[in-house]
Short mmCIF file of all heavy atoms in Angstrom, two decimals:
data_model
loop_
_atom_site.label_atom_id
_atom_site.label_comp_id
_atom_site.label_asym_id
_atom_site.label_seq_id
_atom_site.Cartn_x
_atom_site.Cartn_y
_atom_site.Cartn_z
N ALA I 117 11.29 27.00 3.30
CA ALA I 117 11.33 27.72 4.57
C ALA I 117 12.73 27.63 5.17
O ALA I 117 13.35 26.57 5.18
CB ALA I 117 10.32 27.13 5.53
N SER I 118 13.21 28.74 5.65
CA SER I 118 14.50 28.77 6.33
C SER I 118 14.29 28.52 7.82
O SER I 118 13.15 28.46 8.30
CB SER I 118 15.16 30.14 6.14
OG SER I 118 14.43 31.12 6.84
N ALA I 119 15.37 28.40 8.54
CA ALA I 119 15.27 28.25 9.99
C ALA I 119 14.59 29.48 10.59
O ALA I 119 13.84 29.38 11.57
CB ALA I 119 16.66 28.05 10.60
N TYR I 120 14.84 30.64 10.00
CA TYR I 120 14.21 31.89 10.44
C TYR I 120 12.69 31.81 10.31
O TYR I 120 11.95 32.16 11.22
CB TYR I 120 14.76 33.00 9.56
CG TYR I 120 14.73 34.40 10.11
CD1 TYR I 120 14.77 34.66 11.47
CD2 TYR I 120 14.67 35.47 9.23
CE1 TYR I 120 14.75 35.96 11.94
CE2 TYR I 120 14.66 36.78 9.69
CZ TYR I 120 14.69 37.01 11.05
OH TYR I 120 14.68 38.29 11.51
N GLY I 121 12.21 31.31 9.19
CA GLY I 121 10.78 31.17 8.96
C GLY I 121 10.16 30.13 9.87
O GLY I 121 9.03 30.28 10.34
N LYS I 122 10.89 29.05 10.11
CA LYS I 122 10.38 28.02 11.01
C LYS I 122 10.27 28.54 12.44
O LYS I 122 9.30 28.23 13.14
CB LYS I 122 11.27 26.78 10.94
CG LYS I 122 11.15 26.06 9.62
CD LYS I 122 12.08 24.88 9.52
CE LYS I 122 11.96 24.25 8.14
NZ LYS I 122 12.79 23.09 7.95
N ALA I 123 11.24 29.35 12.86
CA ALA I 123 11.18 29.94 14.20
C ALA I 123 9.97 30.87 14.32
O ALA I 123 9.26 30.87 15.33
CB ALA I 123 12.46 30.69 14.50
N LYS I 124 9.70 31.62 13.27
CA LYS I 124 8.54 32.51 13.26
C LYS I 124 7.25 31.70 13.40
O LYS I 124 6.36 32.05 14.18
CB LYS I 124 8.53 33.33 11.97
CG LYS I 124 7.42 34.32 11.83
CD LYS I 124 6.31 34.00 10.87
CE LYS I 124 6.60 33.16 9.69
NZ LYS I 124 5.36 32.52 9.16
N THR I 125 7.17 30.60 12.69
CA THR I 125 5.99 29.74 12.75
C THR I 125 5.80 29.17 14.16
O THR I 125 4.69 29.16 14.69
CB THR I 125 6.10 28.61 11.72
OG1 THR I 125 6.20 29.19 10.42
CG2 THR I 125 4.91 27.68 11.77
N VAL I 126 6.89 28.72 14.76
CA VAL I 126 6.82 28.17 16.12
C VAL I 126 6.38 29.26 17.11
O VAL I 126 5.50 29.03 17.94
CB VAL I 126 8.17 27.55 16.54
CG1 VAL I 126 8.18 27.22 18.03
CG2 VAL I 126 8.45 26.30 15.72
N PHE I 127 6.97 30.44 17.01
CA PHE I 127 6.60 31.54 17.93
C PHE I 127 5.14 31.93 17.76
O PHE I 127 4.45 32.21 18.74
CB PHE I 127 7.50 32.76 17.72
CG PHE I 127 8.62 32.85 18.71
CD1 PHE I 127 9.78 32.10 18.53
CD2 PHE I 127 8.53 33.67 19.82
CE1 PHE I 127 10.81 32.18 19.44
CE2 PHE I 127 9.55 33.75 20.74
CZ PHE I 127 10.70 33.00 20.55
N GLN I 128 4.66 31.95 16.52
CA GLN I 128 3.26 32.28 16.30
C GLN I 128 2.35 31.23 16.95
O GLN I 128 1.36 31.58 17.60
CB GLN I 128 2.94 32.39 14.81
CG GLN I 128 3.47 33.65 14.17
CD GLN I 128 3.15 33.72 12.68
OE1 GLN I 128 2.69 32.76 12.07
NE2 GLN I 128 3.41 34.87 12.08
N ALA I 129 2.69 29.96 16.78
CA ALA I 129 1.88 28.89 17.36
C ALA I 129 1.89 28.96 18.88
O ALA I 129 0.83 28.81 19.53
CB ALA I 129 2.37 27.53 16.87
N VAL I 130 3.05 29.22 19.46
CA VAL I 130 3.15 29.32 20.92
C VAL I 130 2.34 30.52 21.41
O VAL I 130 1.63 30.44 22.42
CB VAL I 130 4.63 29.42 21.37
CG1 VAL I 130 4.75 29.83 22.83
CG2 VAL I 130 5.34 28.08 21.11
N ALA I 131 2.43 31.64 20.70
CA ALA I 131 1.69 32.84 21.10
C ALA I 131 0.18 32.60 21.03
O ALA I 131 -0.56 32.97 21.95
CB ALA I 131 2.08 34.02 20.22
N VAL I 132 -0.28 31.97 19.95
CA VAL I 132 -1.72 31.70 19.82
C VAL I 132 -2.16 30.72 20.90
O VAL I 132 -3.23 30.91 21.52
CB VAL I 132 -2.05 31.18 18.40
CG1 VAL I 132 -3.49 30.68 18.33
CG2 VAL I 132 -1.82 32.27 17.37
N ALA I 133 -1.36 29.71 21.17
CA ALA I 133 -1.69 28.77 22.25
C ALA I 133 -1.77 29.51 23.59
O ALA I 133 -2.66 29.26 24.40
CB ALA I 133 -0.66 27.64 22.32
N GLY I 134 -0.86 30.45 23.81
CA GLY I 134 -0.89 31.25 25.04
C GLY I 134 -2.14 32.10 25.13
O GLY I 134 -2.74 32.21 26.21
N LEU I 135 -2.57 32.67 24.01
CA LEU I 135 -3.80 33.47 24.01
C LEU I 135 -5.02 32.59 24.29
O LEU I 135 -5.94 33.00 25.00
CB LEU I 135 -3.96 34.18 22.67
CG LEU I 135 -2.93 35.28 22.37
CD1 LEU I 135 -3.06 35.75 20.92
CD2 LEU I 135 -3.07 36.45 23.33
N LEU I 136 -5.01 31.37 23.73
CA LEU I 136 -6.11 30.44 24.00
C LEU I 136 -6.13 30.03 25.47
O LEU I 136 -7.20 29.95 26.08
CB LEU I 136 -5.97 29.19 23.11
CG LEU I 136 -6.27 29.38 21.63
CD1 LEU I 136 -5.82 28.16 20.83
CD2 LEU I 136 -7.74 29.67 21.40
N LEU I 137 -4.95 29.80 26.03
CA LEU I 137 -4.86 29.45 27.45
C LEU I 137 -5.34 30.61 28.32
O LEU I 137 -6.06 30.41 29.30
CB LEU I 137 -3.43 29.05 27.82
CG LEU I 137 -3.22 28.63 29.28
CD1 LEU I 137 -4.08 27.41 29.61
CD2 LEU I 137 -1.74 28.33 29.53
N ALA I 138 -4.97 31.84 27.94
CA ALA I 138 -5.41 33.02 28.70
C ALA I 138 -6.92 33.19 28.64
O ALA I 138 -7.53 33.68 29.60
CB ALA I 138 -4.71 34.26 28.17
N LEU I 139 -7.53 32.76 27.53
CA LEU I 139 -8.99 32.82 27.44
C LEU I 139 -9.63 31.74 28.31
O LEU I 139 -10.64 31.96 28.97
CB LEU I 139 -9.43 32.65 25.98
CG LEU I 139 -10.91 32.81 25.68
CD1 LEU I 139 -11.39 34.23 26.00
CD2 LEU I 139 -11.19 32.48 24.22
N ALA I 140 -8.99 30.56 28.35
CA ALA I 140 -9.51 29.44 29.13
C ALA I 140 -9.29 29.62 30.62
O ALA I 140 -10.14 29.28 31.44
CB ALA I 140 -8.87 28.13 28.67
N VAL I 141 -8.11 30.15 30.98
CA VAL I 141 -7.73 30.33 32.39
C VAL I 141 -7.28 31.78 32.55
O VAL I 141 -6.09 32.09 32.47
CB VAL I 141 -6.59 29.36 32.78
CG1 VAL I 141 -6.29 29.48 34.27
CG2 VAL I 141 -6.92 27.93 32.40
N PRO I 142 -8.22 32.69 32.72
CA PRO I 142 -7.89 34.12 32.74
C PRO I 142 -7.20 34.57 34.04
O PRO I 142 -7.85 35.00 34.98
CB PRO I 142 -9.24 34.80 32.55
CG PRO I 142 -10.24 33.81 33.03
CD PRO I 142 -9.65 32.45 32.84
N THR I 143 -5.88 34.45 34.05
CA THR I 143 -5.10 34.97 35.18
C THR I 143 -4.11 36.00 34.64
O THR I 143 -3.74 35.96 33.46
CB THR I 143 -4.32 33.85 35.90
OG1 THR I 143 -3.31 33.34 35.02
CG2 THR I 143 -5.25 32.71 36.35
N ALA I 144 -3.66 36.87 35.51
CA ALA I 144 -2.71 37.91 35.10
C ALA I 144 -1.39 37.30 34.63
O ALA I 144 -0.77 37.78 33.67
CB ALA I 144 -2.46 38.87 36.26
N GLU I 145 -0.96 36.23 35.28
CA GLU I 145 0.32 35.60 34.93
C GLU I 145 0.26 34.97 33.54
O GLU I 145 1.19 35.13 32.74
CB GLU I 145 0.70 34.52 35.96
CG GLU I 145 0.98 35.05 37.35
CD GLU I 145 -0.29 35.30 38.18
OE1 GLU I 145 -1.39 34.87 37.77
OE2 GLU I 145 -0.17 35.94 39.24
N ILE I 146 -0.82 34.27 33.26
CA ILE I 146 -0.95 33.64 31.94
C ILE I 146 -1.10 34.71 30.86
O ILE I 146 -0.49 34.61 29.79
CB ILE I 146 -2.13 32.65 31.92
CG1 ILE I 146 -1.80 31.45 32.82
CG2 ILE I 146 -2.44 32.19 30.50
CD1 ILE I 146 -2.95 30.48 33.01
N ALA I 147 -1.86 35.74 31.15
CA ALA I 147 -2.02 36.83 30.18
C ALA I 147 -0.69 37.51 29.91
O ALA I 147 -0.37 37.83 28.75
CB ALA I 147 -3.05 37.84 30.70
N ALA I 148 0.13 37.71 30.94
CA ALA I 148 1.45 38.32 30.75
C ALA I 148 2.36 37.43 29.92
O ALA I 148 3.05 37.91 29.01
CB ALA I 148 2.08 38.62 32.11
N ALA I 149 2.36 36.13 30.21
CA ALA I 149 3.19 35.19 29.44
C ALA I 149 2.75 35.14 27.98
O ALA I 149 3.58 35.13 27.06
CB ALA I 149 3.14 33.80 30.07
N ALA I 150 1.42 35.14 27.76
CA ALA I 150 0.90 35.14 26.39
C ALA I 150 1.30 36.43 25.68
O ALA I 150 1.64 36.41 24.49
CB ALA I 150 -0.61 34.98 26.40
N GLY I 151 1.28 37.55 26.40
CA GLY I 151 1.69 38.83 25.81
C GLY I 151 3.15 38.84 25.40
O GLY I 151 3.51 39.36 24.34
N VAL I 152 4.02 38.25 26.22
CA VAL I 152 5.44 38.17 25.89
C VAL I 152 5.65 37.29 24.65
O VAL I 152 6.40 37.64 23.73
CB VAL I 152 6.26 37.63 27.09
CG1 VAL I 152 7.68 37.27 26.68
CG2 VAL I 152 6.26 38.65 28.23
N ALA I 153 4.96 36.14 24.62
CA ALA I 153 5.07 35.24 23.46
C ALA I 153 4.56 35.94 22.20
O ALA I 153 5.16 35.83 21.13
CB ALA I 153 4.30 33.95 23.71
N LEU I 154 3.47 36.69 22.33
CA LEU I 154 2.91 37.40 21.18
C LEU I 154 3.86 38.49 20.69
O LEU I 154 4.03 38.67 19.48
CB LEU I 154 1.54 37.98 21.53
CG LEU I 154 0.76 38.60 20.39
CD1 LEU I 154 0.48 37.55 19.31
CD2 LEU I 154 -0.56 39.18 20.90
N ALA I 155 4.48 39.20 21.61
CA ALA I 155 5.45 40.23 21.22
C ALA I 155 6.61 39.60 20.45
O ALA I 155 7.07 40.14 19.43
CB ALA I 155 5.96 40.97 22.45
N GLY I 156 7.09 38.45 20.93
CA GLY I 156 8.16 37.75 20.22
C GLY I 156 7.71 37.30 18.84
O GLY I 156 8.47 37.41 17.87
N ALA I 157 6.48 36.80 18.74
CA ALA I 157 5.96 36.35 17.45
C ALA I 157 5.84 37.51 16.47
O ALA I 157 6.19 37.38 15.30
CB ALA I 157 4.60 35.67 17.64
N VAL I 158 5.35 38.65 16.96
CA VAL I 158 5.21 39.82 16.08
C VAL I 158 6.59 40.31 15.63
O VAL I 158 6.80 40.61 14.45
CB VAL I 158 4.42 40.95 16.77
CG1 VAL I 158 4.50 42.25 15.98
CG2 VAL I 158 2.97 40.53 16.97
N ALA I 159 7.54 40.35 16.55
CA ALA I 159 8.90 40.79 16.20
C ALA I 159 9.51 39.86 15.14
O ALA I 159 10.09 40.34 14.15
CB ALA I 159 9.78 40.85 17.44
N LEU I 160 9.39 38.55 15.34
CA LEU I 160 9.93 37.61 14.36
C LEU I 160 9.18 37.68 13.03
O LEU I 160 9.77 37.53 11.96
CB LEU I 160 9.87 36.18 14.90
CG LEU I 160 11.10 35.70 15.64
CD1 LEU I 160 10.84 34.33 16.27
CD2 LEU I 160 12.31 35.64 14.74
N THR I 161 7.88 37.91 13.10
CA THR I 161 7.07 38.04 11.88
C THR I 161 7.55 39.22 11.05
O THR I 161 7.78 39.10 9.84
CB THR I 161 5.58 38.20 12.24
OG1 THR I 161 5.15 37.01 12.92
CG2 THR I 161 4.72 38.42 11.01
N VAL I 162 7.74 40.36 11.69
CA VAL I 162 8.19 41.56 10.99
C VAL I 162 9.62 41.37 10.48
O VAL I 162 9.92 41.64 9.30
CB VAL I 162 8.10 42.80 11.90
CG1 VAL I 162 8.79 44.00 11.28
CG2 VAL I 162 6.64 43.12 12.21
N ALA I 163 10.51 40.88 11.33
CA ALA I 163 11.91 40.71 10.94
C ALA I 163 12.04 39.73 9.78
O ALA I 163 12.79 39.99 8.82
CB ALA I 163 12.74 40.25 12.12
N SER I 164 11.33 38.62 9.83
CA SER I 164 11.44 37.64 8.76
C SER I 164 10.81 38.17 7.47
O SER I 164 11.29 37.88 6.37
CB SER I 164 10.82 36.30 9.15
OG SER I 164 9.43 36.42 9.33
N GLY I 165 9.77 38.97 7.58
CA GLY I 165 9.16 39.58 6.41
C GLY I 165 10.09 40.58 5.75
O GLY I 165 10.23 40.60 4.52
N VAL I 166 10.74 41.42 6.55
CA VAL I 166 11.70 42.38 6.02
C VAL I 166 12.86 41.64 5.35
O VAL I 166 13.28 41.99 4.24
CB VAL I 166 12.21 43.33 7.13
CG1 VAL I 166 13.41 44.13 6.68
CG2 VAL I 166 11.08 44.25 7.60
N ASP I 167 13.35 40.60 6.00
CA ASP I 167 14.44 39.80 5.43
C ASP I 167 14.04 39.22 4.08
O ASP I 167 14.80 39.28 3.12
CB ASP I 167 14.82 38.70 6.41
CG ASP I 167 15.90 37.79 5.86
OD1 ASP I 167 17.02 38.29 5.61
OD2 ASP I 167 15.63 36.59 5.66
N LEU I 168 12.85 38.67 3.99
CA LEU I 168 12.38 38.08 2.74
C LEU I 168 12.27 39.13 1.64
O LEU I 168 12.72 38.90 0.51
CB LEU I 168 11.04 37.38 2.95
CG LEU I 168 10.43 36.73 1.70
CD1 LEU I 168 11.35 35.67 1.13
CD2 LEU I 168 9.07 36.14 2.03
N VAL I 169 11.70 40.28 1.96
CA VAL I 169 11.55 41.34 0.97
C VAL I 169 12.91 41.84 0.49
O VAL I 169 13.11 42.08 -0.71
CB VAL I 169 10.69 42.49 1.53
CG1 VAL I 169 10.76 43.72 0.64
CG2 VAL I 169 9.24 42.03 1.69
N LEU I 170 13.87 41.96 1.41
CA LEU I 170 15.21 42.41 1.01
C LEU I 170 15.91 41.38 0.13
O LEU I 170 16.71 41.75 -0.74
CB LEU I 170 16.06 42.71 2.25
CG LEU I 170 15.64 43.92 3.07
CD1 LEU I 170 16.51 44.06 4.32
CD2 LEU I 170 15.70 45.20 2.23
N ARG I 171 15.64 40.10 0.34
CA ARG I 171 16.28 39.06 -0.46
C ARG I 171 15.49 38.69 -1.71
O ARG I 171 16.00 37.97 -2.57
CB ARG I 171 16.51 37.82 0.40
CG ARG I 171 17.57 38.06 1.46
CD ARG I 171 17.97 36.81 2.20
NE ARG I 171 16.86 36.27 2.97
CZ ARG I 171 16.55 34.98 3.05
NH1 ARG I 171 17.26 34.10 2.41
NH2 ARG I 171 15.54 34.57 3.77
N ALA I 172 14.26 39.15 -1.83
CA ALA I 172 13.39 38.77 -2.95
C ALA I 172 14.00 39.05 -4.32
O ALA I 172 13.91 38.19 -5.20
CB ALA I 172 12.03 39.44 -2.81
N PRO I 173 14.60 40.21 -4.55
CA PRO I 173 15.15 40.43 -5.90
C PRO I 173 16.17 39.36 -6.31
O PRO I 173 16.12 38.88 -7.44
CB PRO I 173 15.81 41.82 -5.79
CG PRO I 173 15.04 42.50 -4.70
CD PRO I 173 14.73 41.41 -3.71
N ALA I 174 17.03 38.96 -5.41
CA ALA I 174 18.01 37.93 -5.74
C ALA I 174 17.33 36.58 -5.93
O ALA I 174 17.71 35.80 -6.81
CB ALA I 174 19.07 37.83 -4.65
N LEU I 175 16.31 36.29 -5.11
CA LEU I 175 15.62 35.01 -5.23
C LEU I 175 14.87 34.91 -6.55
O LEU I 175 14.83 33.85 -7.17
CB LEU I 175 14.62 34.85 -4.07
CG LEU I 175 15.21 34.71 -2.68
CD1 LEU I 175 14.10 34.75 -1.63
CD2 LEU I 175 16.01 33.44 -2.55
N LEU I 176 14.29 36.01 -6.98
CA LEU I 176 13.48 35.99 -8.20
C LEU I 176 14.31 36.22 -9.46
O LEU I 176 13.80 36.08 -10.56
CB LEU I 176 12.36 37.03 -8.10
CG LEU I 176 11.37 36.76 -6.96
CD1 LEU I 176 10.36 37.89 -6.87
CD2 LEU I 176 10.68 35.42 -7.13
N ALA I 177 15.60 36.56 -9.31
CA ALA I 177 16.47 36.78 -10.46
C ALA I 177 17.00 35.48 -11.04
O ALA I 177 17.64 35.48 -12.07
CB ALA I 177 17.63 37.69 -10.06
N VAL I 178 16.70 34.38 -10.39
CA VAL I 178 17.16 33.08 -10.87
C VAL I 178 16.46 32.76 -12.18
O VAL I 178 15.26 33.04 -12.32
CB VAL I 178 16.86 31.99 -9.80
CG1 VAL I 178 17.16 30.61 -10.32
CG2 VAL I 178 17.65 32.28 -8.55
N PRO I 179 17.15 32.17 -13.14
CA PRO I 179 16.49 31.80 -14.40
C PRO I 179 15.24 30.96 -14.15
O PRO I 179 15.17 30.20 -13.19
CB PRO I 179 17.56 30.99 -15.14
CG PRO I 179 18.85 31.44 -14.55
CD PRO I 179 18.55 31.82 -13.12
N ALA I 180 14.28 31.08 -14.99
CA ALA I 180 12.97 30.46 -14.80
C ALA I 180 13.02 28.94 -14.68
O ALA I 180 12.13 28.34 -14.13
CB ALA I 180 12.03 30.86 -15.94
N ARG I 181 14.03 28.28 -15.16
CA ARG I 181 14.09 26.82 -15.10
C ARG I 181 15.09 26.33 -14.08
O ARG I 181 15.68 25.27 -14.26
CB ARG I 181 14.41 26.26 -16.46
CG ARG I 181 13.30 26.58 -17.40
CD ARG I 181 13.49 25.95 -18.70
NE ARG I 181 12.50 26.63 -19.51
CZ ARG I 181 11.79 26.09 -20.42
NH1 ARG I 181 11.95 24.90 -20.70
NH2 ARG I 181 10.90 26.75 -21.09
N ALA I 182 15.27 27.06 -13.02
CA ALA I 182 16.21 26.64 -11.98
C ALA I 182 15.74 25.31 -11.41
O ALA I 182 14.57 25.12 -11.14
CB ALA I 182 16.30 27.68 -10.88
N SER I 183 16.68 24.40 -11.21
CA SER I 183 16.28 23.09 -10.70
C SER I 183 16.47 22.95 -9.20
O SER I 183 15.79 22.20 -8.55
CB SER I 183 17.06 21.99 -11.42
OG SER I 183 18.45 22.19 -11.22
N ALA I 184 17.41 23.66 -8.62
CA ALA I 184 17.67 23.54 -7.20
C ALA I 184 16.78 24.52 -6.43
O ALA I 184 16.68 25.69 -6.79
CB ALA I 184 19.14 23.84 -6.90
N PRO I 185 16.13 24.05 -5.38
CA PRO I 185 15.30 24.97 -4.58
C PRO I 185 16.17 25.97 -3.84
O PRO I 185 17.26 25.66 -3.42
CB PRO I 185 14.56 24.04 -3.62
CG PRO I 185 15.36 22.79 -3.56
CD PRO I 185 16.10 22.69 -4.87
N LEU I 186 15.65 27.17 -3.74
CA LEU I 186 16.35 28.22 -3.00
C LEU I 186 15.84 28.21 -1.58
O LEU I 186 14.69 27.94 -1.32
CB LEU I 186 16.08 29.57 -3.65
CG LEU I 186 16.59 29.73 -5.06
CD1 LEU I 186 16.14 31.07 -5.61
CD2 LEU I 186 18.10 29.63 -5.10
#
Side-chain angles (χ1 to χ4, degrees):
S118 69
Y120 203 28
K122 290 177 183 181
K124 182 254 331 158
T125 300
V126 169
F127 261 81
Q128 285 180 350
V130 168
V132 171
L135 293 171
L136 288 168
L137 182 60
L139 185 63
V141 185
T143 67
E145 295 82 11
I146 292 173
V152 169
L154 187 60
V158 169
L160 269 173
T161 298
V162 170
S164 66
V166 168
D167 177 63
L168 179 60
V169 168
L170 292 176
R171 291 188 295 137
L175 293 172
L176 298 176
V178 173
R181 295 186 193 218
S183 59
L186 296 175

